[in-house]
Amino acid sequence: MAKTLPTLALLLSTAAYAQQPLTTAPPSGPAPRPYLTKREPTLTEAQKLALLRQHIKYVFVLFQENRSFDFYFGSYPGAEGLYSKPAAEIPGFTQPLVDTDGTVRTITPFRIPPFITDANGKAVPIYPSDLASVNHSHTAMDAKLNFDSADLSKNDRFALTEEGVTLNSEGKPSKFPSLERKQYGELVMGHLDCDTAPFLWRYADRFTLFDHFFATELGPSTPNAIAMISGQVGETQWMLHPEEVTRPGYPGVPMLADPQPFYGIKKESSGKAKQANDPKTKTNSVNFTFAALPLSFMGQDAKATTATDDDPAADLRDVKEDIEKIAGHPNRATPWGWYQQGYDHEPIDPAGQVTHKSYVSHHNAPAYFGYVANNAGVETHIHGLNDFFEDVAARRLPPNGVFYVRGGYGNIRGLHPLDPNPRLATVFNGNDDHPGYSDSQLSEALLAEEINAITQSPYWAQSAILIAYDESDGLYDHAQPHVRGHGPNKEPLDQGPRIPFLLISPYGNAHAVSHEPAEHSSIIKFVDNLFNLIPLADLPDEQKARAIGVEKFHEKNMGPADDQVEGIGNLFSAFSNARLLGKRPLLPASYAQIPVPEINAFPHYDYKGCSVMNIKPTDANLPNPIPADFNPRPDTTPGNPKSGNWAP
């Protein structure tokens, strides 16, 4: 990290910045593409950082759930997708699938359409925005990626793992799957495009899409939510406290599953944290005591802030030296907020009551850290979703800061999923994009509402908006993660599969695809750089744990990856040098906005988003090998949509 900032004169005169790989997404037709990124002036990384610190004061992380990159952007022009190379060069493009009679067939990626033609020749809507959730446990993800002895993934067991079937050395299946399990095996290979996810494609087209952004861990939501703010899933705590290692029936560290936070939801009467369940039952996570951004954000106030912790002996045991170093760094506290639907009162709650009905507690990453959840002064940084809209509208945000925004079960606007089946009205009405309970169009509508709120405020002019995901839900992606660490079972722990990531800013590159290697730690690295924080990886208690990892396990990358780990980008490639230097007009707020009537008109663009935006997916002229018995929701709407009597 640069200790001194170059002068503006030096910024204007030096030309040495090695820009991260960046391509311009090719236009799909004659429609004009304003603000197209052209040849960029060069800057050193230090110069670019100085300009970013000058111009970007707000980082908004719009944190979504459970989609792979290929699921949403596998056919996006200019990105490394499913059709960028010949099928034989795409890992896992053709996979085995076992039929209900035991016949071993193959399956390849296919686009999930809005309608199919049934046995009677009738166009049947199958509502591809409402999909079942597939297996995304740590064990399942390891099986789906199918690593060899050198930690290189083949990515060719997504369908079989979903079916719960293995093949022996002769290629014979271990069992015959039911129709439902076979349909899950098919679902995992499906993907959407700009017809069903037009808002996401619109943001990708107008700003910067990252096509090499990976989840931190092979596994479910909680670990990757934790990684969003810590760059790890508890490896350093495991090194320092081996007795707390994850094992059957004990959700310890490193985090591999979705247990509840050690401290539960705050008591509404006192405002203090409480234990939701007896930790002795092991239904809750262990108390997380390793460093995360909420600790770094304390800055010079770290000693005074942590001094008010309700149980410092337990909550601060592994960050005592970290606190000393953070407090001694010449940095004021960095404002931050975690806005999550259902955490406190929401518009859908009765007046004066907090029901938490839409709250997904295992998505609330800060709540897993005792020095946040068990300190009333720190816990106040956690809010409900509607608080975000109110704070932005009332201009209550501080002069700078980092703000995370999450949806959850249901939605605070009382919207309903596209599928009119009354049984599903309260099943797919979530808005955080998690398959199984969220509707993807309701979810992208929430993103649009959040982005509109920011762009209609003074914060837009100094903002970087990050659309991030936690993990892939177990949906197929062909990109091979770079394994840099292993868990207690000696199997790969991180990285996980590739996931979507977009960056929106008035200083951003337009119509760009960045090939910069990135993951959740890249977000932390970006925040570290922007707000001059000591990288988590460089804090003394984390360094101590990393040394144990090297000595005992021969693992050099245990812990946070915001420094000292190769191949972790800093997201700088999303920003235009010319715009930062004032040599090109900034992207206006209107360019990021989606009109409210378009947000509230479902389905968005009547499933014609590609033609509306004049974008041609890379599979547009290819056959679409959708399976004959495909069902997007094998559990909630069972049967075969092509049968002629399927009720969606």
Side-chain angles (χ1 to χ4, degrees), residues 339-347 383-390 405-408 411-412 431 446 450:
Y339 293 89
Q340 183 168 329
Q341 181 172 276
Y343 183 74
D344 57 20
H345 179 79
E346 299 286 11
H383 317 276
L385 176 60
N386 198 57
D387 296 333
F388 169 76
F389 292 107
E390 291 183 347
V405 190
R406 306 205 70 170
N411 61 86
I412 61 175
N431 60 4
L446 175 61
E450 293 164 348

Short mmCIF file of all heavy atoms in Angstrom, two decimals, residues 339-347 383-390 405-408 411-412 431 446 450:
data_model
loop_
_atom_site.label_atom_id
_atom_site.label_comp_id
_atom_site.label_asym_id
_atom_site.label_seq_id
_atom_site.Cartn_x
_atom_site.Cartn_y
_atom_site.Cartn_z
N TYR A 339 -27.01 -3.59 6.01
CA TYR A 339 -28.46 -3.47 5.91
C TYR A 339 -29.02 -4.80 5.40
O TYR A 339 -28.78 -5.18 4.25
CB TYR A 339 -28.83 -2.35 4.94
CG TYR A 339 -28.46 -0.96 5.39
CD1 TYR A 339 -27.22 -0.42 5.10
CD2 TYR A 339 -29.37 -0.18 6.11
CE1 TYR A 339 -26.88 0.87 5.50
CE2 TYR A 339 -29.04 1.11 6.51
CZ TYR A 339 -27.79 1.63 6.20
OH TYR A 339 -27.45 2.91 6.60
N GLN A 340 -29.76 -5.49 6.25
CA GLN A 340 -30.29 -6.79 5.85
C GLN A 340 -31.78 -6.89 6.16
O GLN A 340 -32.21 -6.61 7.28
CB GLN A 340 -29.54 -7.93 6.54
CG GLN A 340 -30.01 -9.31 6.10
CD GLN A 340 -29.10 -10.42 6.55
OE1 GLN A 340 -27.89 -10.24 6.68
NE2 GLN A 340 -29.66 -11.59 6.78
N GLN A 341 -32.52 -7.30 5.17
CA GLN A 341 -33.97 -7.38 5.30
C GLN A 341 -34.38 -8.25 6.49
O GLN A 341 -33.88 -9.35 6.67
CB GLN A 341 -34.56 -7.96 4.02
CG GLN A 341 -36.09 -8.06 4.02
CD GLN A 341 -36.62 -8.46 2.67
OE1 GLN A 341 -36.81 -7.63 1.79
NE2 GLN A 341 -36.85 -9.74 2.47
N GLY A 342 -35.29 -7.71 7.28
CA GLY A 342 -35.86 -8.46 8.39
C GLY A 342 -35.11 -8.36 9.69
O GLY A 342 -35.57 -8.89 10.71
N TYR A 343 -33.97 -7.68 9.69
CA TYR A 343 -33.20 -7.60 10.94
C TYR A 343 -33.93 -6.77 11.99
O TYR A 343 -33.89 -7.08 13.18
CB TYR A 343 -31.82 -7.00 10.67
CG TYR A 343 -30.95 -6.96 11.90
CD1 TYR A 343 -30.38 -8.12 12.40
CD2 TYR A 343 -30.72 -5.77 12.59
CE1 TYR A 343 -29.59 -8.11 13.53
CE2 TYR A 343 -29.93 -5.74 13.73
CZ TYR A 343 -29.37 -6.91 14.20
OH TYR A 343 -28.59 -6.88 15.33
N ASP A 344 -34.59 -5.71 11.54
CA ASP A 344 -35.40 -4.92 12.46
C ASP A 344 -36.76 -4.67 11.80
O ASP A 344 -37.15 -5.41 10.89
CB ASP A 344 -34.68 -3.63 12.88
CG ASP A 344 -34.28 -2.75 11.69
OD1 ASP A 344 -34.87 -2.91 10.60
OD2 ASP A 344 -33.39 -1.89 11.86
N HIS A 345 -37.45 -3.67 12.20
CA HIS A 345 -38.80 -3.43 11.67
C HIS A 345 -38.75 -3.14 10.18
O HIS A 345 -37.93 -2.35 9.70
CB HIS A 345 -39.45 -2.25 12.40
CG HIS A 345 -40.82 -1.93 11.89
ND1 HIS A 345 -41.94 -2.64 12.24
CD2 HIS A 345 -41.25 -0.98 11.01
CE1 HIS A 345 -43.00 -2.14 11.62
NE2 HIS A 345 -42.61 -1.14 10.87
N GLU A 346 -39.64 -3.80 9.43
CA GLU A 346 -39.77 -3.59 8.00
C GLU A 346 -41.22 -3.18 7.68
O GLU A 346 -42.12 -3.41 8.50
CB GLU A 346 -39.42 -4.86 7.22
CG GLU A 346 -37.99 -5.36 7.42
CD GLU A 346 -36.94 -4.51 6.71
OE1 GLU A 346 -37.27 -3.41 6.23
OE2 GLU A 346 -35.77 -4.95 6.67
N PRO A 347 -41.46 -2.58 6.51
CA PRO A 347 -42.82 -2.14 6.16
C PRO A 347 -43.86 -3.26 6.19
O PRO A 347 -45.05 -2.99 6.35
CB PRO A 347 -42.65 -1.58 4.75
CG PRO A 347 -41.23 -1.14 4.68
CD PRO A 347 -40.47 -2.13 5.51
N HIS A 383 -28.55 -3.05 10.38
CA HIS A 383 -29.87 -2.45 10.21
C HIS A 383 -30.75 -3.35 9.34
O HIS A 383 -30.29 -4.32 8.76
CB HIS A 383 -29.76 -1.08 9.53
CG HIS A 383 -28.64 -0.22 10.03
ND1 HIS A 383 -28.76 0.57 11.14
CD2 HIS A 383 -27.38 -0.04 9.56
CE1 HIS A 383 -27.61 1.22 11.34
NE2 HIS A 383 -26.76 0.86 10.39
N GLY A 384 -32.01 -2.97 9.21
CA GLY A 384 -32.92 -3.61 8.30
C GLY A 384 -32.79 -3.03 6.89
O GLY A 384 -32.15 -2.00 6.68
N LEU A 385 -33.44 -3.68 5.93
CA LEU A 385 -33.32 -3.24 4.54
C LEU A 385 -33.98 -1.89 4.30
O LEU A 385 -33.42 -1.03 3.63
CB LEU A 385 -33.94 -4.30 3.61
CG LEU A 385 -33.99 -3.94 2.12
CD1 LEU A 385 -32.59 -3.71 1.56
CD2 LEU A 385 -34.70 -5.04 1.33
N ASN A 386 -35.17 -1.68 4.84
CA ASN A 386 -35.85 -0.40 4.59
C ASN A 386 -35.08 0.77 5.20
O ASN A 386 -35.19 1.90 4.72
CB ASN A 386 -37.28 -0.43 5.14
CG ASN A 386 -38.14 0.66 4.52
OD1 ASN A 386 -38.28 0.75 3.31
ND2 ASN A 386 -38.70 1.53 5.37
N ASP A 387 -34.28 0.49 6.23
CA ASP A 387 -33.44 1.54 6.80
C ASP A 387 -32.48 2.09 5.76
O ASP A 387 -32.15 3.28 5.77
CB ASP A 387 -32.63 1.00 7.99
CG ASP A 387 -33.50 0.56 9.14
OD1 ASP A 387 -34.61 1.10 9.29
OD2 ASP A 387 -33.07 -0.34 9.90
N PHE A 388 -32.03 1.22 4.85
CA PHE A 388 -31.13 1.69 3.79
C PHE A 388 -31.82 2.72 2.92
O PHE A 388 -31.26 3.80 2.66
CB PHE A 388 -30.66 0.51 2.93
CG PHE A 388 -29.95 0.91 1.68
CD1 PHE A 388 -28.64 1.36 1.72
CD2 PHE A 388 -30.60 0.87 0.44
CE1 PHE A 388 -27.99 1.75 0.56
CE2 PHE A 388 -29.95 1.25 -0.72
CZ PHE A 388 -28.64 1.69 -0.66
N PHE A 389 -33.02 2.40 2.47
CA PHE A 389 -33.74 3.34 1.60
C PHE A 389 -34.04 4.65 2.34
O PHE A 389 -33.92 5.73 1.76
CB PHE A 389 -35.02 2.69 1.08
CG PHE A 389 -34.78 1.55 0.13
CD1 PHE A 389 -34.99 0.25 0.52
CD2 PHE A 389 -34.32 1.79 -1.16
CE1 PHE A 389 -34.76 -0.81 -0.36
CE2 PHE A 389 -34.08 0.75 -2.04
CZ PHE A 389 -34.30 -0.56 -1.63
N GLU A 390 -34.38 4.54 3.60
CA GLU A 390 -34.68 5.75 4.37
C GLU A 390 -33.42 6.58 4.61
O GLU A 390 -33.45 7.81 4.50
CB GLU A 390 -35.33 5.37 5.70
CG GLU A 390 -36.73 4.79 5.55
CD GLU A 390 -37.39 4.49 6.88
OE1 GLU A 390 -36.67 4.50 7.91
OE2 GLU A 390 -38.62 4.25 6.91
N VAL A 405 -25.76 -4.34 1.51
CA VAL A 405 -27.22 -4.35 1.43
C VAL A 405 -27.67 -5.74 0.98
O VAL A 405 -27.21 -6.25 -0.06
CB VAL A 405 -27.74 -3.28 0.45
CG1 VAL A 405 -29.25 -3.14 0.57
CG2 VAL A 405 -27.05 -1.93 0.69
N ARG A 406 -28.61 -6.34 1.74
CA ARG A 406 -29.05 -7.70 1.45
C ARG A 406 -30.57 -7.82 1.57
O ARG A 406 -31.19 -7.18 2.42
CB ARG A 406 -28.43 -8.70 2.43
CG ARG A 406 -26.93 -8.66 2.51
CD ARG A 406 -26.35 -9.97 2.98
NE ARG A 406 -26.50 -11.00 1.96
CZ ARG A 406 -25.91 -12.19 2.02
NH1 ARG A 406 -25.16 -12.51 3.05
NH2 ARG A 406 -26.07 -13.07 1.06
N GLY A 407 -31.15 -8.65 0.72
CA GLY A 407 -32.57 -8.98 0.82
C GLY A 407 -32.76 -10.20 1.72
O GLY A 407 -32.02 -10.42 2.67
N GLY A 408 -33.77 -11.02 1.37
CA GLY A 408 -34.01 -12.20 2.20
C GLY A 408 -35.28 -12.92 1.81
O GLY A 408 -35.74 -12.85 0.67
N ASN A 411 -40.36 -10.12 0.62
CA ASN A 411 -39.85 -8.83 0.19
C ASN A 411 -40.67 -7.74 0.83
O ASN A 411 -41.86 -7.92 1.13
CB ASN A 411 -39.87 -8.70 -1.34
CG ASN A 411 -41.26 -8.81 -1.93
OD1 ASN A 411 -41.99 -7.82 -2.02
ND2 ASN A 411 -41.64 -10.02 -2.32
N ILE A 412 -40.05 -6.61 1.08
CA ILE A 412 -40.70 -5.54 1.84
C ILE A 412 -41.71 -4.77 1.02
O ILE A 412 -42.40 -3.90 1.56
CB ILE A 412 -39.66 -4.58 2.44
CG1 ILE A 412 -38.84 -3.90 1.33
CG2 ILE A 412 -38.74 -5.32 3.40
CD1 ILE A 412 -37.87 -2.84 1.86
N ASN A 431 -36.31 -11.95 -2.36
CA ASN A 431 -35.70 -10.94 -3.22
C ASN A 431 -34.18 -10.90 -3.16
O ASN A 431 -33.57 -9.93 -3.60
CB ASN A 431 -36.26 -9.55 -2.87
CG ASN A 431 -35.98 -9.15 -1.42
OD1 ASN A 431 -35.30 -9.87 -0.69
ND2 ASN A 431 -36.51 -8.01 -1.01
N LEU A 446 -35.17 -5.58 -6.92
CA LEU A 446 -34.59 -4.99 -5.71
C LEU A 446 -33.26 -4.32 -6.03
O LEU A 446 -32.99 -3.20 -5.57
CB LEU A 446 -34.40 -6.05 -4.63
CG LEU A 446 -33.69 -5.57 -3.36
CD1 LEU A 446 -34.46 -4.47 -2.67
CD2 LEU A 446 -33.43 -6.74 -2.40
N GLU A 450 -32.42 -0.40 -5.42
CA GLU A 450 -31.27 0.05 -4.63
C GLU A 450 -30.38 0.98 -5.45
O GLU A 450 -29.94 2.04 -4.96
CB GLU A 450 -30.47 -1.17 -4.16
CG GLU A 450 -31.22 -2.03 -3.15
CD GLU A 450 -30.61 -3.41 -2.98
OE1 GLU A 450 -29.74 -3.81 -3.79
OE2 GLU A 450 -31.01 -4.12 -2.03
#
